[in-house]
C-alpha cells in the first residue's frame, strides 16, 4: 500500500514502553528537587559578588553576596529536611 509520507502504522512507529527503572536511570531525574541547580546559582552569585567587589561595585557585590548566602542556606535547609524524611521513611520500610 502507498502510505502518505511520514505515516507509520502503530506497529511500525511503536516505541517500547519504558519501565519505571529505565526512566529513573536515564539521567533526566538526577537533580532531586533542583538541588544541583540551587548550588550552581549560589556559586554564580558568589562569583558575581567577588568580581563586583574587585571592580569596586559595592552595592552589586553586597546584593549578589546576599543572594548567594540565602541560596546556600536554603539548599542546606532543604538538604537536611529531605535527609531526615529519608531516614525516617527508610526506617518504616524495614
Amino acid at each position: 500500500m502507498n502510505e502518505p509520507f511520514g505515516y507509520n502504522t502503530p506497529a511500525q512507529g511503536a516505541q517500547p514502553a519504558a519501565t519505571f527503572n529505565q526512566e529513573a536511570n536515564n539521567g533526566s531525574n538526577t537533580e532531586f528537587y533542583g538541588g544541583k541547580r540551587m548550588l550552581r546559582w549560589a556559586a554564580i552569585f558568589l562569583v558575581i559578588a567577588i568580581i563586583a567587589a574587585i571592580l569596586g561595585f559595592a552595592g552589586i557585590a553586597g546584593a549578589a553576596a546576599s543572594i548567594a548566602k540565602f541560596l546556600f542556606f536554603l539548599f542546606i535547609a532543604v538538604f537536611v529536611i529531605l535527609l531526615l524524611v529519608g531516614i525516617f521513611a527508610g526506617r518504616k520500610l524495614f
Side-chain angles (χ1 to χ4, degrees):
M1 296 186 155
N2 292 335
E3 306 292 337
F5 180 74
Y7 177 81
N8 289 330
T9 63
Q12 291 172 332
Q15 296 288 333
T19 64
F20 177 74
N21 289 334
Q22 288 174 337
E23 291 174 0
N25 293 328
N26 68 3
S28 64
N29 295 328
T30 57
E31 294 186 22
F32 189 72
Y33 290 107
K36 289 182 183 178
R37 225 177 281 142
M38 196 180 312
L39 276 181
R40 183 178 302 138
W41 277 108
I44 288 170
F45 278 109
L46 179 64
V47 169
I48 290 171
I50 291 171
I51 292 172
I54 290 172
L55 296 176
F57 298 109
I60 295 173
S66 297
I67 293 170
K69 187 191 301 188
F70 172 76
L71 289 176
F72 177 74
F73 286 118
L74 181 65
F75 169 79
I76 295 297
V78 169
F79 172 76
V80 169
I81 290 169
L82 291 177
L83 180 68
L84 292 174
V85 167
I87 289 171
F88 291 127
R91 287 185 183 169
K92 289 181 182 179
L93 292 176
F94 294 109

